[in-house]
């Protein structure tokens, strides 16, 4: 940035400080440029934030967002396009509302593709916008506009977005963006990509572009309801079962489903085996039998908005890749969800097809309350014998729940004083601090030990578990942004390997004062893959001692606390003594809650 004053007589640095974060900068009265019209449409869609890494292909839109739009849509600058998309992904998971992302031309789109793909498989509504062209070749800058442009730019992400388009005129911007918003928000949700031609952005507005119809154009249609007769039949089959179990996945995207599933489980007497793709059911509820043998003993399993029925119901031998079903022969299999709605012919995230006895295509946000009412009616007609059977299964499930939790506590107690810090001890010490506040866990669960230790008693506690490596810190930024200003303590149990991919993400949290407490789950390894190499070495008889090659994050070991401080964070560590964790986390939490700015505690842990 130059030190020379701009046309206002102010130096650019002071201008940025005054106007880039919450300043009172008045927008123009009417649109003068094509990008002004685009900003009016984006504002009309109710978008609050746009994440970006700078790019010249949307310089017109950038100027309009800053100067014409004022602060109506806050700009979140990111050091990489993938981080920008992941941030929007996390925000959408936590709020259920879409966030915009700006990606520079073809090259920025290619940088952001992994973020787009993970948003797609995780069903989050992200509105990805990209500069393109100009399409008019005589307006292109030599070389640079050519190598950064593509013929039909959306082809790069068409296989893993719900829709893509490129408006060719200013009047069509309204209808294209309105349709994009609808499609992103219609269930099952997902990302969309709209290329905004650089020439169109920078063209003057010659004729007014009415936006009076935008609210009606962008309105999201009603949810997909179940067929009544099929739902009634499913309720009868579920209530007739003697040992029913529910497996939910994405139902928890609707916060009301959290309590509805509790009511359904308690009314009928159903065990619940969580998948954690969203927070569907309280982990400490006595009917939560995750980790038990309830599925093996069930005579009826109801899947609730589950894409992959195999993972929770199959036993895997990782070395031989052999699979065996946990379900007993003759188990009744029921399903409510989107089934083949929106199925991809490219991504195979839909997993293996399992035989079912009855499937209902519906949005579970609509179907679950209706199913609950049907089941209440049927249970009310129970005779004494049927009521006794139902109660016996409830008591059996409660005993299984208690047994599983007792086993987890025993394992944690056995490893409590180990050095490096055991994963269970890490979860325990962080929970001792976190439980004193209204808290949110962003993504990672420290190898599921948070789920075995903490009390997930409300739907906002957790937007869903982490996805693959190189996704978590970006998603965590978005979750923290979603809860900014709520006085909630937003906690990220952050794997070291994931942060190594996107260390620059730490700058975003500091720059935008996100209330994020990061506790490093630092095992100094890409251990998920290391473990695979150990299994294969044992099978093949090769040295297990060499499995670490290409897997360790050591020699040198990264100093994550120093890294965080270099980006303006409060930070402490590395901590190796388990007795030192709690006080450090408490100091970090106090900093986050007092200042609204991020803090990091680096804890050196065992691999699992």
């Amino acid at each position: 940035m130059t030190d020379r004053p701009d046309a206002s007589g102010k130096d650019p640095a002071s201008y940025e400080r005054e106007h880039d974060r919450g300043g009172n900068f008045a927008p123009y009265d009417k649109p003068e440029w094509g990008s002004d019209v685009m900003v009016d449409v984006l504002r009309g869609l109710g978008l609050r934030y746009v994440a970006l890494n700078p790019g010249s292909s949307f310089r017109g839109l950038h100027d309009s967002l800053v100067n014409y739009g004022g602060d109506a849509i806050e700009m979140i600058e990111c050091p990489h396009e993938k981080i920008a998309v992941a941030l929007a992904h996390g925000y959408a998971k936590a709020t259920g509302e879409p966030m915009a992302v700006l990606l520079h031309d073809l090259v920025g789109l290619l940088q952001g593709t992994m973020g787009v793909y993970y948003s797609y498989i995780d069903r989050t509504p992200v509105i990805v916008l990209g500069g393109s062209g100009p399409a008019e070749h005589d307006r292109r800058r030599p070389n640079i506009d050519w190598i950064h442009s593509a013929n039909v730019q959306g082809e790069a992400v068409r296989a893993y977005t719900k829709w893509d388009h490129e408006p060719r005129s200013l009047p069509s911007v309204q209808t294209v963006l309105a349709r994009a918003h609808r499609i992103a928000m219609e269930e099952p949700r997902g990302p969309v990509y709209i290329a905004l031609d650089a020439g169109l952005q920078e063209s003057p507005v010659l004729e007014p572009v009415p936006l009076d119809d935008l609210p009606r154009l962008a309105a999201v249609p009603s949810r997909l309801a179940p067929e009544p007769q099929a739902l009634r039949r499913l309720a009868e089959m579920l209530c007739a079962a003697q040992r029913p179990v529910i497996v939910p996945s994405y139902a928890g995207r609707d916060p009301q489903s959290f309590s509805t599933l509790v009511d359904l489980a308690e009314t009928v007497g159903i065990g619940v085996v969580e998948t954690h793709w969203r927070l569907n059911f309280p982990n400490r509820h006595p009917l939560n039998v995750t980790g038990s043998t309830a599925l093996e003993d069930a005579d009826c399993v109801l899947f609730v908005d589950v894409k992959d029925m195999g993972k929770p119901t199959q036993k895997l031998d990782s070395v031989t890749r052999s699979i065996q079903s946990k379900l007993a022969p003759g188990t009744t299999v029921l399903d409510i969800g989107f089934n083949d709605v929106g199925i991809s012919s490219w991504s195979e995230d839909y997993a293996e097809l399992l035989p079912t006895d009855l499937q209902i295509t519906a949005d579970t946000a609509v179907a679950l309350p209706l199913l609950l009412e049907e089941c209440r009616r049927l249970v009310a007609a129970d005779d004494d014998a049927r009521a006794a059977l139902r109660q016996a299964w409830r008591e059996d499930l409660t005993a299984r729940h208690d047994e599983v939790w007792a086993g987890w506590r025993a394992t944690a107690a056995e490893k409590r004083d180990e050095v490096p810090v055991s994963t269970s001890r890490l979860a325990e010490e962080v929970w001792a601090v976190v439980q004193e506040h209204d808290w949110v866990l962003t993504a990672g669960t420290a190898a599921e030990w948070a789920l075995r230790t903490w009390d997930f008693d409300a739907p906002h506690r957790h937007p869903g578990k982490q996805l693959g490596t190189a996704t978590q810190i970006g998603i965590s930024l978005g979750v923290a942004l979603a809860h900014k200003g709520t006085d909630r303590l937003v906690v990220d149990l952050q794997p070291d390997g994931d942060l190594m991919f996107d260390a620059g993400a730490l700058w975003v949290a500091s720059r935008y004062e996100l209330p994020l407490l990061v506790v490093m789950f630092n095992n100094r390894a890409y251990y998920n893959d290391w473990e695979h190499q150990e299994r294969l070495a044992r099978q093949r008889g090769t040295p297990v001692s060499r499995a670490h090659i290409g897997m360790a994050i050591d020699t040198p070991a990264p100093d994550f606390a120093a890294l965080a401080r270099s980006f303006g964070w409060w930070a402490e560590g590395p901590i190796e003594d388990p007795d030192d964790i709690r006080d450090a986390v408490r100091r970090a939490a106090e900093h986050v809650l007092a200042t609204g700015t991020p803090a990091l505690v680096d804890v050196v842990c065992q691999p699992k």
Side-chain angles (χ1 to χ4, degrees):
M1 180 179 288
T2 179
D3 292 331
R4 293 177 300 181
D6 67 5
S8 68
K10 297 181 179 180
D11 74 273
S14 66
Y15 183 93
E16 179 182 349
R17 285 192 298 270
E18 180 178 351
H19 296 297
D20 72 344
R21 289 166 63 193
N24 296 317
F25 189 78
Y28 297 129
D29 292 331
K30 63 179 181 178
E32 297 184 6
W33 302 96
S35 53
D36 294 346
V37 174
M38 296 172 186
V39 168
D40 280 338
V41 175
L42 295 174
R43 289 167 58 181
L45 295 176
L47 298 176
R48 296 183 58 195
Y49 300 99
V50 56
L52 58 85
N53 180 261
S56 61
S57 62
F58 53 78
R59 66 186 187 182
L61 184 57
H62 187 284
D63 180 79
S64 293
L65 283 165
V66 171
N67 296 312
Y68 175 76
D71 299 312
I73 302 176
E74 184 176 354
M75 194 174 288
I76 308 294
E77 180 185 346
C78 297
H80 193 283
E81 288 86 353
K82 178 170 70 68
I83 296 172
V85 181
L87 189 152
H89 177 173
Y91 179 85
K93 285 184 76 168
T95 65
E97 297 297 325
M99 182 173 159
V101 180
L102 271 172
L103 302 181
H104 169 50
D105 245 332
L106 176 64
V107 290
L109 178 62
L110 293 175
Q111 292 276 24
T113 51
M114 180 174 158
V116 176
Y117 177 67
Y118 272 103
S119 171
Y120 176 77
I121 65 172
D122 203 29
R123 292 181 173 177
T124 52
V126 176
I127 298 178
V128 184
L129 307 172
S132 65
E136 295 177 341
H137 291 181
D138 57 347
R139 298 185 66 183
R140 289 188 179 181
R141 297 170 295 166
N143 181 254
I144 196 69
D145 281 339
W146 290 87
I147 64 173
H148 283 184
S149 296
N151 185 15
V152 190
Q153 207 154 274
E155 283 280 5
V157 289
R158 184 164 291 172
Y160 45 97
T161 51
K162 288 187 69 179
W163 190 64
D164 70 271
H165 211 285
E166 182 168 348
R168 303 296 184 183
S169 66
L170 280 181
S172 65
V173 167
Q174 174 183 211
T175 53
V176 169
L177 287 178
R179 190 184 297 274
H181 177 267
R182 287 164 53 107
I183 292 171
M185 289 295 289
E186 286 181 89
E187 299 284 3
R189 296 176 177 180
V192 293
Y193 174 72
I194 305 299
L196 298 171
D197 180 76
L200 201 61
Q201 295 176 47
E202 298 178 25
S203 295
V205 177
L206 302 177
E207 298 288 341
V209 181
L211 301 180
D212 297 340
D213 289 333
L214 181 59
R216 291 193 296 163
L217 289 169
V220 180
S222 64
R223 295 176 182 266
L224 187 64
E227 195 279 311
Q229 185 175 354
L231 188 71
R232 196 171 301 117
R233 174 61 182 148
L234 186 144
E236 291 169 352
M237 296 170 76
L238 182 65
C239 291
Q242 294 188 20
R243 300 180 302 280
V245 172
I246 289 174
V247 178
S249 282
Y250 285 88
R253 62 194 155 71
D254 172 40
Q256 295 302 317
S257 294
F258 186 83
S259 58
T260 304
L261 278 169
V262 170
D263 289 344
L264 179 62
E266 291 177 347
T267 297
V268 182
I270 311 176
V272 177
V273 173
E274 260 279 32
T275 62
H276 307 298
W277 289 113
R278 294 294 186 270
L279 181 56
N280 300 288
F281 200 83
N283 63 326
R284 295 195 181 191
H285 192 286
L287 295 180
N288 188 324
V289 287
T290 308
S292 76
T293 57
L295 278 172
E296 288 89 329
D297 296 329
D299 65 348
C300 176
V301 175
L302 170 62
F303 292 99
V304 181
D305 201 358
V306 177
K307 285 197 293 183
D308 182 357
M309 297 182 182
K311 185 173 177 61
T313 61
Q314 293 171 339
K315 298 176 183 177
L316 168 67
D317 184 325
S318 183
V319 173
T320 63
R321 297 178 183 266
S322 60
I323 295 170
Q324 180 181 354
S325 177
K326 295 179 183 178
L327 303 183
T331 301
T332 299
V333 178
L334 310 174
D335 171 66
I336 302 175
F338 291 109
N339 297 311
D340 300 327
V341 175
I343 194 170
S344 171
S345 59
W346 181 80
S347 171
E348 295 191 55
D349 72 307
Y350 47 74
E352 184 62 278
L353 189 65
L354 265 62
T356 55
D357 295 282
L358 178 59
Q359 286 189 289
I360 294 177
T361 299
D363 187 333
T364 54
V366 177
L368 281 175
L370 298 175
L371 176 62
L372 175 60
E373 290 308 310
E374 289 287 345
C375 289
R376 280 174 172 161
R377 178 180 59 82
L378 292 167
V379 170
D382 280 352
D383 58 23
D384 291 344
R386 187 69 187 88
L389 286 173
R390 211 179 294 284
Q391 182 59 28
W393 181 234
R394 288 192 189 95
E395 293 171 359
D396 187 333
L397 293 166
T398 298
R400 293 171 192 251
H401 169 91
D402 293 344
E403 181 181 4
V404 167
W405 276 76
W408 288 336
R409 284 192 293 270
T411 299
E414 181 181 322
K415 294 179 172 291
R416 195 173 191 278
D417 296 323
E418 292 182 0
V419 177
V421 178
S422 67
T423 313
S424 55
R425 180 70 183 272
L426 174 70
E428 173 193 336
E429 295 300 328
V430 177
W431 174 239
V433 177
V434 166
Q435 65 181 325
E436 299 169 1
H437 308 282
D438 185 7
W439 57 273
V440 176
L441 180 64
T442 59
T445 60
E448 299 195 351
W449 274 103
L451 300 168
R452 301 166 181 169
T453 309
W454 300 19
D455 185 4
F456 292 81
D457 59 348
H460 73 267
R461 296 292 188 211
H462 188 45
K465 68 180 181 181
Q466 75 275 15
L467 299 157
T469 299
T471 64
Q472 181 164 322
I473 186 61
I475 288 174
S476 296
L477 293 178
V479 176
L481 178 63
H483 291 283
K484 184 176 181 179
T486 64
D487 295 324
R488 286 174 177 158
L489 182 62
V490 182
V491 184
D492 172 22
L493 297 176
Q494 176 63 46
D496 52 333
D498 182 277
L499 186 56
M500 289 286 285
F501 274 86
D502 295 320
L506 296 174
W507 178 86
V508 181
S510 185
R511 172 68 175 83
Y512 296 98
E513 299 181 348
L514 300 183
L516 182 60
L517 169 58
V518 168
V519 180
M520 294 301 301
F521 173 30
N522 180 7
N523 55 31
R524 293 180 173 169
Y526 294 106
Y527 190 74
N528 181 62
D529 296 282
W530 186 336
E531 192 175 33
H532 279 287
Q533 297 309 130
E534 289 180 334
R535 290 169 182 159
L536 210 61
R538 292 188 185 96
Q539 182 201 37
R540 295 182 175 185
T542 54
V544 175
S545 61
R546 293 175 59 81
H548 72 281
I549 298 173
M551 300 289 169
I553 305 176
D554 208 344
T555 57
D559 188 337
F560 290 107
L563 177 65
R565 283 192 294 269
S566 76
F567 287 118
W569 287 51
W570 184 100
E572 189 171 332
I575 294 173
E576 299 185 13
D577 187 336
D579 291 334
D580 293 339
I581 298 172
R582 187 176 306 187
D583 287 343
V585 171
R586 179 165 281 112
R587 287 189 291 270
E590 289 171 351
H591 170 85
V592 173
L593 293 169
T595 67
T597 59
L600 179 145
V601 177
D602 186 11
V603 181
V604 180
C605 301
Q606 295 178 12
K608 287 187 71 174

